[in-house]
Amino acid sequence: MKILHITPELAPWSKAGGLGDAAAALAKALGSLGHEVRAVTPLYGSVPGRESMSVLLNSLRVGVGGPPEKAACRVMSLHVAKNFEAWFIEHEDYYGAKEIYPARPDSAERAAFYARAALDACLATGWIPDVIHCHDWTAGLVPPLLNTVLKDSPLGGAASVISIHNLQHQGVSHRGIMDFLGLPGWLWQPSELECLGGVNFLKGGILHAKRVITVSPTYALEILTPQFGHGLEDVVRRRESALEGILNGVDLDEWNPRTDRLIPAHYSPRSMKGKEECRLALAREFGLRDDPGAPPIFGVISRLWDQKGLDLAAAALPAFLREGRLRFVLLGSGDSALEGAFRALAAGFPTLCGVRIGYDHGLSHRIEAGSDFFLMPSRFEPCGLNQMYSMTYGTPPIVRATGGLADTVRPWSPGSKDATGIVFEHADLQGVEWAISRALELHADPKAYRQVQLNGMRAEFSWARSAQAHVEAYRKAGAAL
Ligand code: ADP
Ligand code: GLC
């Protein structure tokens, strides 16, 4: 099968969160299964390694409105892995800046442009995909385009699929974006793309794709409800028969304590000595206590947004730190009040708590490897990759029972044999306090703790399985073998 991914993030070239990892790993896994895969994404100013790319199309005229000189772009290509090529849309005005999602008045146009350019690049090269897989809102207007403007083009027969990585971000823009893409006027109605006076990109994708995928089975059920639907629950319900949840996985070429070049020592279930070295190095890197009697390290790597529930952690932690019961390290950025709260926590407990505000790929690996627990108290979590990474690194996660967290972590209680982490139900202060206390109780029993660690390290979160499930979904969407 020929499979085209349209994605705003593609790791390692661009990544704001899990989407970058997920899109790249899925494309790679589909390529390994023998499918011919292309992933199209913008060439942001921050993308490294452009000297190794080659020119696929020197000047592509993209089917959008506006001044003709702005409607052209260059397309670069890079062989990434077996059967997998990345195509980068180069357009200085739209993507020359370093940020992936800058706050700009033309953000809808930026999204619409690269998505339409992805389709035009296929038409111009004659590489006609059987499946067009759109990721999140920025590619949301592709399925409506395929069902209308491009219906009679060679792309009209492709099976369109949309993955919802996060229903909260929907991309709502002014009506003019329909003219920019040449979409027919009848799509401007509440039962179609219109939503509260604007064009809703994700709604268009959900309504027009042949198949709708979310990144975990539990999230697929949750988004049918007002609590998790972010106002689109009725739209999702209209597509319930085409909806399914497929879990992401762990790319062991990138996240593997046996081979990871970004961590100070390697380890495996057979020999965990290296993990102790990683813990010691992490404590030293943050200037924390590193004596043999020091309490366990709880790690966090996260975007600091409401979704992640870390305000609850900030409220729960002082009591534990005051009693010297744990060490805490955090890497993240986002909400400035929350950044401030964590900075203040580190200042208040300098030998027990360390905080880095910012984005740091290497440090994210060192935290996964060096922590004793990984904290992820999300209010909602479509899939979540970090809890799977942490299990792979022998760092039991502490998670709330929602979305992909509920689907990937098996809860520990005294006496349980197959547990892989701590799971709690309620997104409130008591819930997080309970979960942290539970983790400390587990840690105080070295045999039980070791068992949970090993269970997690041996759990299988394979992208090959996820890719197989995607191929099934593509078939259901109408793609031929
Ligand atoms: P989300 O996509 O909702 O942010 P995920 O758990 O799916 O959550 O994926 C987050 C990814 O982003 C992980 O690979 C994590 O390591 C990475 N990440 C998040 N914040 C940072 C940061 N500040 N520095 C480095 N990596 C980060
Ligand atoms: C989104 C979700 C996260 C998921 C990731 C990759 O960013 O918030 O839960 O793991 O996409 O699918």
Side-chain angles (χ1 to χ4, degrees), residues 17-19 22 136 165-166 215 248 303 307-308 381-385:
L19 170 57
D136 271 356
H165 294 265
N166 192 332
V215 283
N248 292 328
R303 296 182 292 116
Q307 174 193 348
K308 301 293 178 180
E381 196 60 76
C383 178
L385 295 173

Side-chain angles (χ1 to χ4, degrees), residues 286-332:
F286 277 95
L288 306 185
R289 267 181 67 180
D290 63 357
D291 52 289
I297 301 181
F298 287 56
V300 167
I301 305 154
S302 187
R303 296 182 292 116
L304 300 178
W305 296 122
D306 187 60
Q307 174 193 348
K308 301 293 178 180
L310 287 161
D311 49 317
L312 304 173
L317 284 164
F320 291 95
L321 289 165
R322 226 173 280 126
E323 292 172 5
R325 298 176 71 196
L326 53 79
R327 288 175 285 175
F328 177 74
V329 299
L330 174 139
L331 166 66

